[in-house]
Amino acid sequence: YSQQLALELYFYLS
Amino acid sequence: MLEARLEQANLLKKVVDAIKDLVQDCNFDCNDSGIALQAMDNSHVALVSMMLKSESFSPFRCDRNIALGINLTSLTKVLRCAANEDILTLKAEDAPDVVNLVFESAESDRLSEYDIKLMDIDQEHLGIPETEYAATISMPSAEFQKICRDLMALSESVSIECTKEGVKFACSGDIGSGSVTLRSHTNVEKPQLNVEIDLSEPVALTFSLKYLVNFCKASGLSEQVRLCLSNEVPLLVEYALSNNSYLRFYLAPKIGD
């Protein structure tokens, strides 16, 4: 486990 | 114009203290429902979302939407000038260059007044959909803080595994491994010590402890913290404040290579 995904992948930019 | 009076400066001091290491510059969005803040950390894996409802202030007046772009280091410097029990009033014009903070001692006639210069902050806003989480854990905030700090001595990451047996925080690092398991627990005399686990399906996710330890700086705001998890979505760590106000942190999970 090393890679921290970015929040933009989960939430949408509005 | 904005005029918002807080009974105790301590609330804003604690909120700003809890988020200032995650975000540096952010907009305080003021409208008639209250003062809101949403900001991502530099690495875009953590998001802070604060809502101070108008009911948390007395009185609260905000005629139109105002975004106060504030550097949190500057705000911290000014808030340090307030005693915890001071009455704090935030004031701003409709198109402000500064935000005005007034601290009043309830016990003496001291009145302090500070202006902080505002910044133009172009902030990306993330839409956070209402999520039905697979697992919701309410637990003492101090307990969560201790678990995160303890496990950070061993590892950078923690896995949070929630099953009907309970919730297990586990880590492994160079010197060895460790875990803490909590089960649902009701303390009638001290409900602030309750552990409540609401599970619709088992969840297992891994998170960076550095961020969680940072979120735990909010522990002084609320006796209990709520952790909401679903597989493959960000963890929600929520500190509920009075009057439906809240301080929430979202953290993207780690994934395997």
Side-chain angles (χ1 to χ4, degrees):
Chain A
Y1 288 97
S2 58
Q3 193 188 352
Q4 187 108 32
L5 285 184
L7 277 178
E8 289 94 333
L9 290 173
Y10 301 97
F11 299 144
Y12 51 90
L13 284 167
S14 59
Chain B
M1 68 170 284
L2 167 77
E3 187 167 344
R5 183 177 174 273
L6 264 184
E7 249 351 285
Q8 290 213 321
N10 208 14
L11 175 69
L12 191 62
K13 278 171 153 265
K14 284 183 178 174
V15 167
V16 174
D17 215 39
I19 64 176
K20 70 173 171 27
D21 294 329
L22 275 174
V23 292
Q24 284 75 45
D25 301 325
C26 48
N27 282 323
F28 286 73
D29 296 309
C30 310
N31 60 38
D32 58 1
S33 64
I35 301 178
L37 174 156
Q38 196 207 73
M40 264 188 289
D41 80 306
N42 286 335
S43 56
H44 287 207
V45 300
L47 179 84
V48 179
S49 171
M50 176 206 81
M51 179 71 213
L52 298 178
K53 299 265 191 190
S54 57
E55 296 82 4
S56 292
F57 301 89
S58 172
F60 183 87
R61 180 187 158 197
C62 187
D63 309 320
R64 56 185 69 187
N65 296 1
I66 307 172
L68 303 174
I70 300 179
N71 171 273
L72 292 186
T73 307
S74 309
L75 182 57
T76 301
K77 284 179 184 169
V78 169
L79 286 174
R80 280 205 185 116
C81 307
N84 289 347
E85 292 76 26
D86 278 359
I87 298 161
L88 182 158
T89 307
L90 291 166
K91 291 184 204 170
E93 302 295 332
D94 281 343
D97 296 321
V98 295
V99 58
N100 176 252
L101 291 93
V102 179
F103 310 137
E104 293 170 78
S105 162
E107 290 173 337
S108 69
D109 283 336
R110 173 177 49 76
L111 187 139
S112 325
E113 200 165 344
Y114 295 86
D115 281 344
I116 300 176
K117 291 179 192 165
L118 296 176
M119 317 165 65
D120 250 335
I121 300 170
D122 189 19
Q123 224 157 31
E124 284 177 328
H125 243 258
L126 286 180
I128 304 165
E130 281 289 316
T131 308
E132 288 282 327
Y133 287 97
T136 301
I137 302 144
S138 297
M139 61 184 289
S141 52
E143 180 91 66
F144 180 57
Q145 184 171 41
K146 179 165 173 17
I147 291 170
C148 292
R149 284 182 177 167
D150 288 351
L151 298 186
M152 200 164 145
L154 279 81
S155 173
E156 285 179 1
S157 313
V158 59
S159 74
I160 305 179
E161 201 179 329
C162 200
T163 64
K164 60 181 184 347
E165 309 301 323
V167 56
K168 184 176 182 183
F169 301 85
C171 74
S172 84
D174 293 341
I175 64 162
S177 60
S179 72
V180 180
T181 304
L182 298 177
R183 293 172 209 284
S184 291
H185 169 82
T186 305
N187 188 320
V188 180
E189 280 171 23
K190 293 180 183 167
Q192 68 271 25
L193 298 181
N194 286 358
V195 175
E196 200 176 308
I197 299 170
D198 186 5
L199 184 79
S200 60
E201 59 175 301
V203 186
L205 287 164
T206 300
F207 299 98
S208 161
L209 277 164
K210 181 181 74 175
Y211 288 94
L212 294 179
V213 166
N214 219 320
F215 300 166
C216 287
K217 288 179 185 160
S219 299
L221 282 163
S222 177
E223 300 256 29
Q224 287 254 313
V225 61
R226 202 159 65 105
L227 311 178
C228 303
L229 301 108
S230 278
N231 283 320
E232 293 170 12
V233 307
L235 164 74
L236 165 59
V237 179
E238 181 183 66
Y239 295 87
L241 311 174
S242 48
N243 302 107
N244 291 323
S245 296
Y246 57 77
L247 183 58
R248 292 177 182 160
F249 299 95
Y250 293 89
L251 180 61
K254 287 191 165 199
I255 55 152
D257 291 324

